[in-house]
Amino acid sequence: MKVTVLSGGVGGARFLRGLVDVVDPAELTVIGNVGDDVEILGLHVSPDLDSILYALAGLSDEERGWGRACESWDALESAVAFGGAGWFRLGDRDIGLHLVRTKLLRGGTPLSAVTAQLVERAGLALTLLPATDDELRTWLDTAAGSFPFQEWFVARGHRDEVDVVRYVGADTAAPSPGAVEALREADLILIAPSNPYVSIGPILAVANLEAALRSSTAPVVAVSPLIGGRAVKGPADRMLARLAGGTSPAHVASCYAGLIDALVLDEADAHDVENLAVRPVVTKTLMSDADARRRLAEAVLAA
Amino acid sequence: MKVTVLSGGVGGARFLRGLVDVVDPAELTVIGNVGDDVEILGLHVSPDLDSILYALAGLSDEERGWGRACESWDALESAVAFGGAGWFRLGDRDIGLHLVRTKLLRGGTPLSAVTAQLVERAGLALTLLPATDDELRTWLDTAAGSFPFQEWFVARGHRDEVDVVRYVGADTAAPSPGAVEALREADLILIAPSNPYVSIGPILAVANLEAALRSSTAPVVAVSPLIGGRAVKGPADRMLARLAGGTSPAHVASCYAGLIDALVLDEADAHDVENLAVRPVVTKTLMSDADARRRLAEAVLAA
């Protein structure tokens, strides 16, 4: 069974770890968010693609929640000492990957081909596609100003309430090679429990990707990132409250209006499905360990 | 007293450590070799400038003889795992500096201004100038082919005998800002105990620099890199034997014909000065520790 997943970083990566326990990775295509890509110290960083790669390759730091395990921080410390920017934390092993990616990109290799090399080198069998090879960046308009994603999220600690989310470059961005086909030919399409605005939104902002999703014949199932109306981590709940008007399953589903057939939601939200226009699938969605991740993946597939 | 030194990497850096014990660093200008600069993993590496900076800032690894002390190697290991080149060893702290340099260079800052920032950040008072801000690269023609410096030196372990040394780009390279003035206004000009062909040669290949040296009124004193006709480290002796016809003080001085007034040489070579066209200054030149370095610097100044 061919499964295609739209995914952001950390939460999506955790979901995918469970999914590869129950789906043959060779049948799995992940379309990843690049709206939060950022250039740090001259390096092209793709945080969401890397979170997925590190998680699936067993290289991620579980406790910190991002980056690589057994990481050291000497290069960044040295760069800062010599006048480089230190606001975005890059570990040494992480920098190794960014060096390889940046060199290939500067040499003209598209991000999708670079990502394929990294995935292959990590020994993974899935297909991991950036939503686009073109530059697409998520910007947040707030009362304090407009910020590119990482400046809003990391540098300012996502403290500014968001009025508008913009996907700069989306109107001219083309889907990366194979992405439209992966949606067309999928037997099942999943939207990972990622932030609808800053993780999934930038993927859907690529016009041909949303069209491919809209016209797909496969069932499309989204997993809510909220539990009891709260984000496990990050600002998804605050953004939904402000931009969608609430944090119920119906508010989550409204972000994917006309695109999904079912919404997987946590037991803690089961009481609150009255205005939900798609089929609710109630299960435990907290991915606290490998068993919980696999059980969620099984429930999603059963949906 | 204003002192200007032409210097290569490791040997020159060691010499400069002694020199700053006896010369006010604020009066010291070093013109460094960039002929062995190289792009590694997309990073602009300036090995000789960095050897000088690390040595004078007390950051260099004495035992290894290059790079930084307390160095880790995680970024390179990761880069190699993801398909990057691993033949040129870059440590994590070293990479931090290269990231800062490379980003500034790509943004249009000239190498001399980048180097000034790094020197200032390292807390050093001397002026360190690359010979040129333009691209100048040392190539070695050998029976096995032509190689850029680092490929010949590191990748092939300088095993190929050199027939011709070429300084590609030298004919159009301009001296970096301040370099000609530093030679014109110096009270004393020194040539460090560096390899005449691959360390000092690329500096002198910048036409206006050699002219400024030639027309300087200050005494010009070179320090031989050989002891008993042998290089302390590296291929200087083999190159002199092959390209200058021998390893005596006269052969060393022939590399600087018409440019120097005196040659500082080791006691082990004092017997062999008959054809030497410049004034010999005999002392102990092995820089085995801080005392030896300072004594050599004192002897050079006394010359």
Side-chain angles (χ1 to χ4, degrees), chain A residues 168-180:
Chain A
V168 176
D171 49 346
T172 55
S176 68
V180 166

Side-chain angles (χ1 to χ4, degrees), chain A:
Chain A
M1 183 176 68
K2 288 188 174 176
V3 179
T4 296
V5 186
L6 311 191
S7 177
V10 177
R14 198 165 289 173
F15 173 69
L16 291 167
R17 286 183 70 188
L19 199 62
V20 293
D21 280 349
V22 294
V23 169
D24 177 3
E27 299 269 51
L28 181 63
T29 298
V30 176
I31 302 177
N33 173 37
V34 294
D36 54 3
D37 281 22
V38 62
E39 187 166 295
I40 300 293
L41 297 170
L43 299 172
H44 183 107
V45 182
S46 295
D48 285 3
L49 299 179
D50 295 345
S51 287
I52 293 168
L53 184 143
Y54 290 156
L56 294 180
L59 299 171
S60 56
D61 188 294
E62 306 257 340
E63 213 160 305
R64 199 189 315 117
W66 55 271
R68 288 192 55 164
C70 307
E71 187 60 291
S72 58
W73 307 87
D74 294 339
L76 183 67
E77 184 184 305
S78 164
V80 169
F82 285 113
W87 64 274
F88 195 94
R89 306 257 301 147
L90 293 178
D92 296 329
R93 294 174 197 277
D94 197 28
I95 284 174
L97 180 150
H98 302 316
L99 285 167
V100 173
R101 172 191 289 124
T102 305
K103 183 171 160 60
L104 288 168
L105 287 174
R106 287 195 192 275
T109 307
L111 182 60
S112 53
V114 173
T115 306
Q117 170 177 322
L118 300 176
V119 164
E120 191 254 318
R121 285 283 183 159
L124 300 176
L126 89 162
T127 302
L128 176 59
L129 301 174
T132 178
D133 282 335
D134 300 322
E135 184 163 314
L136 184 164
R137 294 291 177 271
T138 301
W139 280 70
L140 295 310
D141 295 346
T142 78
S146 284
F147 305 104
F149 179 80
Q150 298 296 354
E151 203 178 320
W152 170 75
F153 191 80
V154 175
R156 300 179 63 87
H158 52 80
R159 65 173 181 265
D160 308 291
E161 295 298 335
V162 174
D163 296 319
V164 177
V165 184
R166 288 181 294 119
Y167 309 112
V168 176
D171 49 346
T172 55
S176 68
V180 166
E181 294 74 9
L183 290 170
R184 273 207 202 118
E185 294 162 13
D187 300 306
L188 174 64
I189 298 173
L190 303 177
I191 297 180
S194 300
N195 185 312
Y197 296 102
V198 296
S199 296
I200 305 300
I203 302 172
L204 297 176
V206 179
N208 292 344
L209 282 186
E210 182 174 345
L213 185 61
R214 207 171 278 280
S215 64
S216 79
T217 52
V220 182
V221 179
V223 183
S224 171
L226 302 188
I227 297 180
R230 309 272 304 185
V232 177
K233 206 181 158 189
D237 47 3
R238 279 164 52 219
M239 296 187 78
L240 275 155
R242 189 172 174 89
L243 299 172
T247 60
S248 74
H251 291 109
V252 173
S254 73
C255 297
Y256 306 129
L259 296 173
I260 63 172
D261 303 300
L263 180 70
V264 177
L265 50 98
D266 193 77
E267 292 168 353
D269 300 290
H271 64 285
D272 195 19
V273 294
E274 46 202 303
N275 293 315
L276 187 60
V278 298
R279 188 163 64 86
V281 179
V282 178
T283 185
K284 286 185 203 298
T285 65
L286 185 65
M287 297 176 286
S288 47
D289 59 23
D291 280 347
R293 288 193 297 264
R294 202 190 56 248
R295 274 196 304 268
L296 173 59
E298 282 166 350
V300 170
L301 290 185

